[in-house]
Structure formats: structure tokens, C-alpha cells
Amino acid sequence: MKQQIATFIAARPSPPAWKVRFELAHSPQPGMYVLADLGETVRTPLFPTSIDESGFDTIVPPGHPATRLLPGTQVDVLGPQGHGFEVDANRLLLIADVEHLPLLIPLLDRAASVAVIVEAMTRLQLPSPTIFPPNVELIMVTLDGSLGYLGPLESLDPAAMGFVRASSVLKELLICAEQVCLALHAVRYPDLAAIVYKTRLNPQSNFAQAIIHCPMPCGAGVCDICNITTKLGEKHVCIDGPVFNLLHLHKESENQQPPQKLDA
Ligand code: FES
């Protein structure tokens, strides 16, 4: 496990969170992380939201220990760690809820054509369109229907009069995309994997990649806290992920069903 010294540069509000800047010789790539010793009882995983040759930015919630550091503080970090996103596509689809969107931000410039689906409870929680590059196709989804398409993304229930289900546009974008990267609560991935199976008859192995964000105190596959069950058996998010093939997170019972086309 690689050990490095990061230098804390600054933390500034980026409502509703904080943006924190570290200088680091070897920064994590999108989906990977470093385990930082921020003076807590266990190390804290930090995921990059932007990466350059001198370091990386990360987004953290208010009150996070990184926001209390003084500029110039030397921070002991382990990593880069884990298995990140592998993007090699001209048409990339990114899918996130507003909570996990920062995990996909470093992918916004990784393809010639990028579409982003962002889901929030209500319009006031959606990010400003100005944080996205102007060439990104932005699709907003709200659970209360206050803006954009009606969520949740995986719902195939008929929408009430005047609303359009997000799953309809999701199907169209999945057909067009060469790759899709997701950042959502892990419990939602099996239903979205089922939609991918029904929309794409033979998706390639890295077509859909999903990041799992969970506590990772040891980062070494030792404590078992990040253990999950996948189609390929028991895995540790910290060393086998955090990015997994979405289709390996598919429900076992649905894996055995023949693929069906999603109803229009
Ligand atoms: S964080 Fe300890 S096993 Fe993954």
C-alpha cells in the first residue's frame, strides 16, 4: 500500500458541501481514493472530484475533518487505492443522485459526448447547471416532479397526468451510450442493472460501471466492514471496488431470466 504525504491547500464552501484542495504527487484517478489520516480514530477515504498534475480536489460534507485543517498541513495518506472507472468511449452516460454526483465530476471531460442524469428529491436540491461544461447534455430528475423528469429512475410505474417518467429518457440514453457510469446508493443498483439487461441485449463487460460509497476504515480487505455480495461472490468494496461492473450487482433471480426488451 503506497504511503504519501499530501499538503492541505484550502477548503472553501461549495454549498451544500465544501471543496477541499490537496497537493499530492500521485493523485487518485476517478473512482479511486486515498485513505487520509485526518486525526480521527480511523483513516478517511477521499475521492477526487478534479485531478491535475499537482494534486486533487475533493468534495466533503460540512463539519468534515478536512475542513478544519490549516493551509500547509502535511497529511499522511495511503494510496491511490482501489479499482476506479475505466472509460474508453465517445458517448458516455453518467447517472447520479445529487449526494453522489461529486464522484462522477472527474468524468465530465472523459468523452467527446457526455450526458448526465442527476436525480434529487426536489428542484431546490438540484445542482446549478453552471457547474457542468456547456457541451454536457444535462437531464434533471426530481422525485416530487418539481423539475425535469419524474423519478425515481428505475420506476416503470405509469406517471400521473402531466409528468414524464425518467425511465423513458433513461432507456433512450442507454441505447445511445457506449458506456455508463453510476453513482447512487448501492441498494438501487440491482434494479438499474435489470433495466440495462432489458435495454441492451449483450452489454460488454465494462459497459455499466457503478461506484459503491461506504465506510472503508482499513482499506485493505481486513476488517470486513465493506463486504458485499455480488454475482461473483463476496467482495470487499475497498480493494475489489469501489467501482464494480453494474451487471455483477444484479439480483440472482433476475440474472436467470432471459433478457427482455423494456416496454416503450
Ligand atoms: S475497509 Fe476494511 S475490509 Fe474494506
Side-chain angles (χ1 to χ4, degrees), residues 215-226 236 238:
M216 296 188 292
C218 81
V222 174
C223 71
D224 245 11
I225 281 182
C226 68
H236 289 107
C238 62

Side-chain angles (χ1 to χ4, degrees), residues 6-222:
T7 303
F8 171 77
I9 301 300
R12 59 183 173 81
S14 178
W18 283 64
K19 180 179 281 191
V20 180
R21 169 76 182 170
F22 287 96
E23 286 188 350
L24 185 64
H26 304 284
S27 293
Q29 292 303 299
M32 300 174 72
Y33 63 99
V34 291
L35 276 178
D37 182 355
L38 299 176
E40 307 286 292
T41 50
V42 294
R43 287 176 179 264
T44 303
L46 299 176
F47 291 83
T49 53
S50 71
I51 307 154
D52 56 49
E53 62 283 350
S54 62
F56 70 99
D57 292 346
T58 185
I59 298 284
V60 298
H64 189 278
T67 64
R68 297 193 288 269
L69 297 173
L70 295 174
T73 299
Q74 305 281 287
V75 177
D76 182 282
V77 302
L78 299 177
Q81 308 242 114
H83 177 255
F85 290 106
E86 294 177 2
V87 173
D88 181 15
N90 288 316
R91 296 186 304 280
L92 178 64
L93 173 60
L94 306 178
I95 301 173
D97 58 32
V98 70
E99 177 185 350
H100 296 95
L101 178 62
L103 298 169
L104 299 187
I105 293 295
L107 298 177
L108 288 174
D109 61 356
R110 297 297 172 107
S113 169
V114 178
V116 183
I117 300 178
V118 185
E119 182 191 272
M121 183 68 70
T122 188
R123 59 182 297 181
L124 293 178
Q125 296 174 341
L126 287 168
S128 167
T130 59
I131 72 167
F132 299 93
N135 59 336
V136 165
E137 181 184 0
L138 187 57
I139 299 98
M140 300 291 200
V141 176
T142 52
L143 300 188
D144 65 359
S146 55
L147 188 74
Y149 293 90
L150 180 65
L153 278 166
E154 58 272 48
S155 174
L156 302 177
D157 294 338
M161 186 77 80
F163 295 97
V164 179
R165 273 284 175 207
S167 53
S168 62
V169 70
L170 173 62
K171 173 196 168 189
E172 293 173 10
L173 291 170
L174 283 173
I175 290 171
C176 296
E178 294 176 5
Q179 281 186 299
V180 54
C181 298
L182 303 96
L184 298 161
H185 287 285
V187 68
R188 302 179 63 182
Y189 287 146
D191 285 341
L192 285 158
I195 291 176
V196 170
Y197 264 122
K198 291 173 182 173
T199 308
R200 308 276 302 217
L201 283 180
N202 291 302
Q204 62 191 48
S205 62
N206 65 350
F207 171 72
Q209 302 169 43
I211 189 166
I212 294 181
H213 195 218
C214 67
M216 296 188 292
C218 81
V222 174

